[in-house]
Amino acid sequence: SKYSTKKDDIILDFFSGSATTAHAVMQLNAEDGGNRRFICVQLPEPTQEDSEAFKAGYKNICEIGKERIRRAGEKILNEAQKETVDIATYGEGFEVDKLNHKYSNLDIGFKVFKLDSSNLKKWNPDFDNLELTLDDMINNYVPDRTEEDVVYEFMLKMGLDLSYPIDVTKIDGKKVYSIGRGALMMCLDDNITVSVAEGMVKMYKEQAPETWKVVFKDNGFADDCIKTNVKLTLVQAGLKEDAFTTV
């Protein structure tokens, strides 16, 4: 309730069910202009095959919860916009300004994560066939994982908020992820050159994050000399030595 939470609180529901907590948080934010956030955790318990939810295509409780958050968010946002329009019709300008400010930060977005193993292969050599093991470890990412999977794993490992915005840009033809307006920059492409580092430096100066960390794919550099020059370029621009990571 609004009497037990503050406007910037994070509300955790470890047995989310159909995501009633998420619905309530968004509704309360709409009522008092708050910026509360929610974390909802739920095991993917299968729905009963004879249930209406199963017949509607929801195979587990998590799917029901995600759909509820989508629908509830859209409904709350539509009602907020309608309320503004209705008051505007009566000409109460000062109230319209108040409502516009109240709903300007209303956020109904959410991200979904599944608990899984690391996206990086563990070093587990086959001593009877080291050559095959080394060839297999040239690309040390688990098959069928996306770059975004790796990005989110490193956000977790580096203690960054998973709700941070992720921007994607191209520097010299290479894809660069900027998380939290430059707090973490990642490039997981091949044939990385010094120009990529120079582009990152430019982004760093424009965005001016409080902290700055950079991650590259370890075998993504054209050669070891370029890897050294990339690091030097970043360090000379203000990156701390231990904030340069390759994976």
Side-chain angles (χ1 to χ4, degrees):
S1 75
K2 63 183 177 181
Y3 300 108
S4 60
T5 64
K6 298 177 182 178
K7 289 187 176 183
D8 291 320
D9 279 351
I10 298 175
I11 291 87
L12 170 65
D13 185 350
F14 217 84
F15 299 93
S16 174
S18 63
T20 54
T21 296
H23 188 163
V25 170
M26 291 188 294
Q27 183 65 56
L28 187 54
N29 282 339
E31 291 174 4
D32 68 3
N35 190 34
R36 300 171 187 82
R37 293 182 290 170
F38 57 83
I39 301 173
C40 293
V41 184
Q42 176 61 49
L43 293 173
E45 297 176 15
T47 50
Q48 301 270 336
E49 292 191 10
D50 59 350
S51 67
E52 292 301 317
F54 184 89
K55 294 175 183 176
Y58 303 111
K59 304 302 182 185
N60 60 61
I61 294 177
C62 296
E63 296 302 318
I64 297 173
K66 288 189 286 185
E67 184 62 19
R68 176 178 187 157
I69 296 173
R70 293 188 194 100
R71 295 190 186 190
E74 290 174 2
K75 184 173 183 289
I76 290 167
L77 191 60
N78 288 336
E79 288 176 348
Q81 292 169 342
K82 182 178 182 298
E83 184 180 355
T84 302
V85 171
D86 286 347
I87 291 182
T89 303
Y90 293 97
E92 300 177 9
F94 67 94
E95 298 231 10
V96 173
D97 291 340
K98 184 177 179 181
L99 278 169
N100 283 335
H101 175 72
K102 177 177 168 182
Y103 297 129
S104 62
N105 294 323
L106 184 56
D107 186 355
I108 62 170
F110 67 102
K111 295 180 180 180
V112 179
F113 299 95
K114 294 180 181 179
L115 184 62
D116 209 330
S117 59
S118 172
N119 298 289
L120 304 178
K121 296 177 186 175
K122 291 184 178 180
W123 173 246
N124 188 23
D126 178 357
F127 292 104
D128 294 327
N129 198 339
L130 279 175
E131 184 177 354
L132 180 63
T133 299
L134 291 171
D135 285 342
D136 184 55
M137 290 300 293
I138 290 175
N139 183 357
N140 64 334
Y141 297 154
V142 174
D144 301 324
R145 302 292 176 88
T146 67
E147 283 191 355
E148 286 75 15
D149 294 332
V150 179
V151 169
Y152 276 109
E153 177 171 348
F154 272 86
M155 288 174 67
L156 275 174
K157 287 181 174 179
M158 294 186 170
L160 298 181
D161 194 324
L162 292 179
S163 64
Y164 276 179
I166 299 177
D167 299 311
V168 182
T169 188
K170 287 280 188 178
I171 300 177
D172 195 22
K174 309 301 180 186
K175 185 186 292 185
V176 174
Y177 297 89
S178 176
I179 298 98
R181 290 191 55 78
L184 171 62
M185 297 181 191
M186 296 186 66
C187 181
L188 305 175
D189 278 351
D190 295 318
N191 298 313
I192 298 165
T193 61
V194 175
S195 60
V196 175
E198 291 170 345
M200 288 180 166
V201 170
K202 182 179 179 183
M203 289 170 57
Y204 170 69
K205 291 179 178 178
E206 291 173 349
Q207 298 174 349
E210 291 184 8
T211 61
W212 187 27
K213 297 180 180 180
V214 176
V215 175
F216 290 99
K217 185 166 69 172
D218 190 53
N219 63 348
F221 299 95
D223 56 50
D224 287 342
C225 181
I226 288 178
K227 178 179 179 180
T228 299
N229 288 335
V230 164
K231 182 175 181 179
L232 283 173
T233 299
L234 296 169
V235 169
Q236 288 173 355
L239 183 73
K240 294 182 179 179
E241 288 270 353
D242 59 357
F244 179 90
T245 305
T246 61
V247 292

